[in-house]
Amino acid sequence: MLNFLKSRFSLRGTVLSLFFVIALFLISVVGIQLFYFSKKISLEIVDLKLHGLTQNISNAIQNDENSNFDTINMLSLMNDKASNLDLYVNVLKSHPYIYGIYSGYEDGSFFQVINLNAHESLKSFYNAKEEDRWLKIEIQKNNKNKREIVLLDKDLNINSTKIEETNFVPKQRPWYKDALASTSPIKTDPYKFFTIDSMGFTYAKQFGNNNVIALDLLSTYFSHISTDHIQNSYMNIYLFNQDGLVTSSLNNNLSIFNEFYKLIKNFDKFHEAQIIKLNDKKYIVQINKIKSDYEYSYIGIFSEYDKTINNYEDQSFSLIFIFGLTTLTIFPIIIIFSNMIIDPIYELVAQINKIKDRNYKGMVDIKASTLEVNLLSTAFSQMAKSIHKYQNYLEKIVEERTKELKKKNDELEKLSITDKLTNLYNRTKLDEVLNTEFNRSKRYDLNFSVIMLDIDFLKKVNDNFGHQVGDDVLIEVSRIVKSCIRITDTLGRWGGEEFLIICPNTDAKGAEILASNINQAVKIHKFSSYPNKLTVSLGVATYYNNLVKPEDIISKADKALYEAKNSGRDKVVVFNNNL
């Protein structure tokens, strides 16, 4: 009887039996989970979810803080009284949670631009109209007791202007003093703005000669970040410090948090989700500490216990219902598909027996547990030799095609890292080399330098002689620079008329000599399609072990290049801390 089952049990019977066994097992597992382990498993899932939410929100807050520091650093480099209005407005447009940007100067003057749409109470505070979009406040150095208040529309057209008395002294403000006392950007503790009903922070940095630029960030940005991660109405998030000061929350209901803070002062045990009763209702509470140097260093998620658990119980019921419905739907489909698979097998066996041209008596059948597979294996064993011969032919074809494909892939890889115009490396390859060299130098305490080169007045070449001549100039300059560098150096087009040279094992003096040689080589070169002489400006920066990331050395080289261009062009400037 067993031998009969082993050789005669059909594929159709095997498929249907396996289907019923799996369906019965899954229904049993889901049923046990629902009636015995639902709440326990649900709480574990909530704990994992809340861990993920707090981590994601913490990371988002940290990323926003890094972005704000990058913004204040950028503003400190670009600050120029003549263009402050356009610059500040553009930054405020791209950062809707920045309330205002302002700069205080050593001479006592002050300049501020405020986004009137940043908070609903701003327009009423400044008596602004609906069409007013921006507010400019300015104090002149020769008239420090007066301030000019200008309301502007969205296109920066002036709608109204007024002059009023003021006793505001920028140099006496805490943000000004703190920024002068630090060599890097500073961030204040949270405080309440006097113009609007909102908490916020100030980022500030010194620039120039004892001048300070600052921006105010509304704490309402936290609600925006939280909303991106949480959509459930029964969950709330609070950002608070050790003293229980809530900087921001997803909604304005602080009663739950205040009740919690009366009972709990040590938040460490809430790193794992805990169930606690507040105001006669149970909550699941998860609290994580944000990586920050300030006191407002906790983020807490409060979720109503019953609604949270019910959500998972409802999912379990839904899962059983859907699974049962799916089982009923799939059963006839399984039968149809089994027929589609099995019937062609019998036909295939008949066709294979017709087309075979070898003696089957010399072959050994491979035994299997199903009748259909036994029949199919018998037919295939009789075709094995001819298939093997044909397979060898196919493998040869595949090998040839593989070689051709590898050649094409190599060509595509080269194109992906090459600048089309100059045939130099592009930004992608330069970033890769820069990261590798930076990590190598940091690990082995080695020197390396970068040179950033900019063609002086290339725009005039394009404007006066056409872009084709400008392209010729770019190509010839790239060839000149390539002829000056070592084989170990990496040259690429950084963008536009800028080139970047990465020089391994090169100190500042060596890089400066190389940059000077390039400067002279370009200066004496006679261009094929451009009749005049051209010059280049070069900025040099060298790696030191206090640098944190590869972008730092690029920033220093860029500052040196800016100094070279700003001080007359056609020269080499090596970065120093005075730039």
Side-chain angles (χ1 to χ4, degrees):
M1 182 67 177
L2 291 176
N3 291 333
F4 173 79
L5 289 176
K6 289 182 179 178
S7 59
R8 298 297 180 182
F9 199 72
S10 69
L11 179 60
R12 182 183 289 106
T14 302
V15 171
L16 294 177
S17 299
L18 183 62
F19 171 76
F20 277 115
V21 170
I22 293 175
L24 181 62
F25 175 76
L26 290 178
I27 290 176
S28 300
V29 169
V30 174
I32 292 172
Q33 186 271 338
L34 174 63
F35 293 107
Y36 293 98
F37 302 111
S38 176
K39 291 187 177 181
K40 180 177 181 298
I41 295 176
S42 297
L43 186 58
E44 291 175 353
I45 294 174
V46 170
D47 183 48
L48 290 174
K49 182 177 180 180
L50 295 183
H51 262 303
L53 283 172
T54 53
Q55 189 61 48
N56 289 341
I57 295 173
S58 297
N59 291 339
I61 292 173
Q62 190 65 46
N63 290 337
D64 267 25
E65 182 165 294
N66 293 337
S67 174
N68 293 329
F69 278 121
D70 290 341
T71 300
I72 200 68
N73 277 322
M74 179 272 293
L75 289 170
S76 70
L77 294 175
M78 301 177 63
N79 199 279
D80 179 0
K81 286 187 177 181
S83 58
N84 274 359
L85 179 60
D86 290 334
L87 174 62
Y88 291 2
V89 165
N90 287 332
V91 172
L92 290 171
K93 284 180 179 179
S94 59
H95 297 75
Y97 291 97
I98 295 179
Y99 151 57
I101 303 175
Y102 45 92
S103 48
Y105 297 89
E106 172 66 16
D107 59 12
S109 59
F110 177 76
F111 186 90
Q112 181 177 24
V113 178
I114 293 175
N115 178 6
L116 292 174
N117 289 347
H119 195 274
E120 63 273 7
S121 64
L122 275 171
K123 288 191 175 182
S124 62
F125 184 85
Y126 287 104
N127 295 320
K129 298 179 180 178
E130 185 63 30
E131 62 269 19
D132 294 327
R133 179 68 173 82
W134 308 102
L135 175 71
K136 182 182 76 170
I137 299 175
E138 188 168 6
I139 301 174
Q140 301 291 342
K141 66 179 181 179
N142 55 359
N143 195 4
K144 299 176 184 177
N145 295 325
K146 302 285 186 179
R147 70 172 183 175
E148 181 185 41
I149 299 179
V150 181
L151 292 168
L152 306 102
D153 65 12
K154 63 182 180 64
D155 298 319
L156 302 185
N157 297 314
I158 296 176
N159 287 339
S160 65
T161 301
K162 69 176 180 178
I163 306 294
E164 63 182 23
E165 297 288 336
T166 182
N167 57 2
F168 180 78
V169 180
K171 292 191 291 184
Q172 295 179 358
R173 304 303 298 167
W175 53 267
Y176 197 103
K177 295 178 181 179
D178 291 346
L180 290 183
S182 174
T183 58
S184 58
I186 62 99
K187 178 184 177 182
T188 67
D189 291 336
Y191 64 94
K192 190 176 185 303
F193 294 126
F194 79 93
T195 55
I196 54 178
D197 183 20
S198 176
M199 298 285 289
F201 318 92
T202 295
Y203 295 79
K205 184 180 180 182
Q206 180 182 178
F207 73 93
N209 185 18
N210 292 331
N211 304 317
V212 174
I213 186 165
L215 62 83
D216 288 338
L217 178 73
L218 299 177
S219 61
T220 51
Y221 83 100
F222 172 76
S223 299
H224 163 69
I225 293 174
S226 304
T227 305
D228 290 343
H229 294 84
I230 291 182
Q231 291 81 36
N232 297 324
S233 59
Y234 54 84
M235 300 178 76
N236 197 3
I237 300 182
Y238 301 95
L239 185 66
F240 60 96
N241 63 14
Q242 184 66 44
D243 297 330
L245 174 62
V246 177
T247 307
S248 187
S249 65
L250 191 58
N251 58 52
N252 295 323
N253 183 9
L254 301 183
S255 60
I256 298 301
F257 179 83
N258 292 335
E259 181 67 20
F260 171 80
Y261 191 74
K262 289 179 183 178
L263 300 174
I264 305 296
K265 293 297 188 294
N266 183 7
F267 311 127
D268 292 341
K269 69 176 183 179
F270 288 92
H271 182 69
E272 302 294 333
Q274 303 289 326
I275 301 174
I276 186 171
K277 192 171 185 179
L278 302 170
N279 292 343
D280 298 326
K281 185 181 292 186
K282 288 196 295 184
Y283 289 86
I284 302 175
V285 178
Q286 170 93 46
I287 296 177
N288 273 7
K289 189 172 183 179
I290 300 174
K291 297 178 182 179
S292 175
D293 296 332
Y294 301 97
E295 294 182 358
Y296 49 95
S297 54
Y298 292 95
I299 181 170
I301 296 183
F302 289 66
S303 181
E304 294 183 27
Y305 175 82
D306 291 336
K307 292 183 179 179
T308 305
I309 297 302
N310 288 341
N311 184 44
Y312 290 99
E313 289 182 346
D314 292 342
Q315 290 179 8
S316 298
F317 281 112
S318 298
L319 180 62
I320 288 182
F321 174 76
I322 293 172
F323 187 79
L325 184 62
T326 303
T327 301
L328 294 176
T329 305
I330 289 178
F331 180 70
I333 298 177
I334 291 292
I335 295 177
I336 294 172
F337 274 94
S338 65
N339 290 335
M340 292 174 61
I341 295 171
I342 294 168
D343 292 345
I345 288 177
Y346 285 107
E347 295 176 5
L348 179 61
V349 171
Q351 294 301 318
I352 290 174
N353 285 323
K354 289 179 182 180
I355 65 172
K356 70 179 185 295
D357 56 1
R358 289 180 173 56
N359 185 6
Y360 69 94
K361 293 181 180 180
M363 304 299 294
V364 178
D365 291 337
I366 300 174
K367 300 300 181 181
S369 59
T370 60
L371 174 64
E372 293 83 2
V373 175
N374 272 320
L375 293 172
L376 189 59
S377 66
T378 300
F380 272 113
S381 66
Q382 294 171 351
M383 298 179 62
K385 292 182 179 179
S386 59
I387 291 174
H388 179 69
K389 181 179 178 180
Y390 186 63
Q391 182 180 359
N392 288 337
Y393 169 75
L394 289 178
E395 287 177 352
K396 184 177 180 180
I397 296 294
V398 169
E399 183 179 359
E400 294 175 355
R401 296 292 186 270
T402 301
K403 290 180 180 179
E404 293 176 2
L405 181 60
K406 184 179 183 304
K407 182 179 178 181
K408 295 296 184 183
N409 286 337
D410 291 342
E411 293 174 357
L412 286 173
E413 182 179 1
K414 182 179 179 181
L415 288 174
S416 70
I417 61 172
T418 302
D419 177 62
K420 185 177 181 182
L421 176 63
T422 62
N423 207 29
L424 299 177
Y425 286 135
N426 60 17
R427 184 76 172 263
T428 300
K429 180 63 176 180
L430 287 174
D431 285 339
E432 176 185 342
V433 174
L434 183 64
N435 281 324
T436 300
E437 196 59 33
F438 184 89
N439 292 331
R440 187 175 74 91
S441 297
K442 199 168 189 69
R443 181 176 182 182
Y444 298 106
D445 196 23
L446 300 174
N447 273 340
F448 84 98
S449 298
V450 298
I451 302 172
M452 189 166 286
L453 178 151
D454 184 276
I455 301 174
D456 296 332
F457 303 113
L458 182 63
K459 184 176 185 302
K460 291 184 178 179
V461 176
N462 288 325
D463 292 343
N464 296 329
F465 294 88
H467 285 275
Q468 182 58 53
V469 174
D471 289 348
D472 293 342
V473 168
L474 282 169
I475 293 170
E476 291 187 48
V477 168
S478 68
R479 291 174 183 167
I480 296 169
V481 177
K482 193 172 184 180
S483 68
C484 294
I485 65 176
R486 304 169 302 179
I487 193 172
T488 56
D489 297 335
T490 300
L491 169 64
R493 188 178 180 190
W494 191 248
E497 62 266 27
E498 288 188 345
F499 298 82
L500 184 69
I501 308 165
I502 303 172
C503 307
N505 298 319
T506 304
D507 58 14
K509 186 63 178 177
E512 182 180 11
I513 293 172
L514 175 58
S516 298
N517 291 339
I518 294 171
N519 177 269
Q520 290 300 317
V522 174
K523 192 182 304 183
I524 64 175
H525 179 73
K526 184 176 181 181
F527 290 89
S528 59
S529 58
Y530 180 64
N532 302 325
K533 295 291 185 181
L534 271 181
T535 61
V536 293
S537 300
L538 303 99
V540 177
T542 301
Y543 167 82
Y544 295 102
N545 55 15
N546 62 341
L547 298 183
V548 177
K549 55 186 181 299
E551 291 81 3
D552 293 342
I553 193 170
I554 292 296
S555 175
K556 294 179 184 298
D558 192 53
K559 290 179 181 178
L561 175 61
Y562 176 83
E563 177 63 22
K565 295 178 71 68
N566 197 42
S567 60
R569 293 184 170 84
D570 186 20
K571 62 176 63 177
V572 176
V573 172
V574 179
F575 176 83
N576 61 71
N577 291 330
N578 294 324
L579 293 181

